[in-house]
Amino acid sequence: MSQAQRLRQTIEDEIVAGHLAVGSRLDELQLAERFGVSRTPIREALLQLAVTGLVETKPRRGTIVSAPEPQHLLAMFETMAEIEAACGRFAARRIVPADEAALDAALAACAVAAQAGDCEGYYQENYVFHSVVYRACHNAFLCEHARHLHRRLAPFRRLQLRARHRLGQSLREHESIVAAIRSGDEAAAGERLRAHVVVQGDRFADLAASLRTLSDAA
């Protein structure tokens, strides 16, 4: 892996983790000083991130962590919903005792964060929960693509969790998903995961409003 690729991965991880918020400006000189490198690999890393849509260059603003157009983001969530639905169906068919234990543990951790009203803590446990579902599908290729798109959408999934009552609703959906997977109900597992991830109705309106706020702040 080249220096630029390592830097890209580090910056991407910070965006996904929320350390670099949507709308944040990414100054090449500051980043170069921070990482102790020249501006060239920083510039290359930012170009690579621009290809993924995680950053964009704006006139007089430079490179910023991007907030995509709502309709484009909706399309990405629709795709993610179908991928997760497939993971859920396979997990219901192929789950083994070790997966069940991991799924129960992940659900319990989500419950603790939700009951505490801890959005950031819930977000981290939510990532673990979905990762367990991906592993339980026992399809490495599908799991890889699910993880990739999950990471791409991570900053925006975090925004969703800030909506009022979303933590409790998300936890109830997790519980329903686990019940379907553990019972071996492939159809229900797929449908519940699809509904859990897809953004429509009030959830889409809330997310679009959050994106507008971030874009205005940028």
Side-chain angles (χ1 to χ4, degrees):
M1 182 181 292
S2 70
Q3 186 178 55
Q5 289 173 322
R6 287 193 296 272
L7 289 165
R8 177 198 60 75
Q9 184 66 62
T10 298
I11 296 169
E12 179 181 294
D13 288 345
E14 293 191 359
I15 293 172
V16 168
H19 301 313
L20 293 171
V22 175
S24 299
R25 183 169 178 268
L26 302 177
D27 182 85
E28 288 183 10
L29 181 58
Q30 291 178 354
L31 289 171
E33 291 176 349
R34 174 188 166 192
F35 291 114
V37 299
S38 71
R39 294 176 68 174
T40 298
I42 292 294
R43 188 174 298 114
E44 292 176 2
L46 294 180
L47 287 172
Q48 292 174 19
L49 286 168
V51 172
T52 70
L54 275 177
V55 305
E56 63 178 323
T57 301
K58 289 191 172 183
R60 298 182 299 279
R61 283 285 297 166
T63 302
I64 65 168
V65 179
S66 65
E69 290 297 320
Q71 291 300 327
H72 178 67
L73 193 58
L74 175 60
M76 293 174 66
F77 269 103
E78 285 180 341
T79 303
M80 182 79 256
E82 294 303 321
I83 289 175
E84 294 232 5
C87 288
R89 290 195 302 272
F90 285 133
R93 183 188 311 172
R94 300 170 176 172
I95 195 166
V96 298
D99 297 325
E100 292 183 354
L103 203 55
D104 289 342
L107 180 60
C110 287
V112 170
Q115 289 162 8
D118 182 359
C119 288
E120 287 303 309
Y122 187 89
Y123 170 77
Q124 297 299 327
E125 300 303 341
N126 180 67
Y127 177 80
V128 173
F129 177 85
H130 285 270
S131 294
V132 172
V133 173
Y134 303 158
R135 291 198 304 270
C137 83
H138 294 280
N139 181 317
F141 183 79
L142 181 60
C143 182
E144 176 186 353
H145 283 275
R147 286 179 180 277
H148 173 77
L149 191 50
H150 188 114
R151 286 175 59 84
R152 176 64 185 88
L153 287 171
F156 312 107
R157 296 180 86 152
R158 178 181 280 107
L159 285 178
Q160 285 185 286
L161 292 175
R162 296 177 184 171
R164 188 180 181 187
H165 303 312
R166 180 56 192 156
L167 288 188
Q169 180 183 357
S170 177
L171 178 63
R172 289 190 293 273
E173 291 168 5
H174 281 187
E175 292 169 344
S176 179
I177 289 164
V178 170
I181 291 175
R182 288 181 65 92
S183 68
D185 190 335
E186 298 177 33
E191 286 303 318
R192 291 172 188 177
L193 269 159
R194 180 184 292 107
H196 177 64
V197 175
V198 75
V199 178
Q200 54 190 337
D202 290 341
R203 288 173 61 187
F204 180 56
D206 290 340
L207 183 57
S210 297
L211 290 171
R212 284 195 297 271
T213 299
L214 290 168
S215 296
D216 291 343

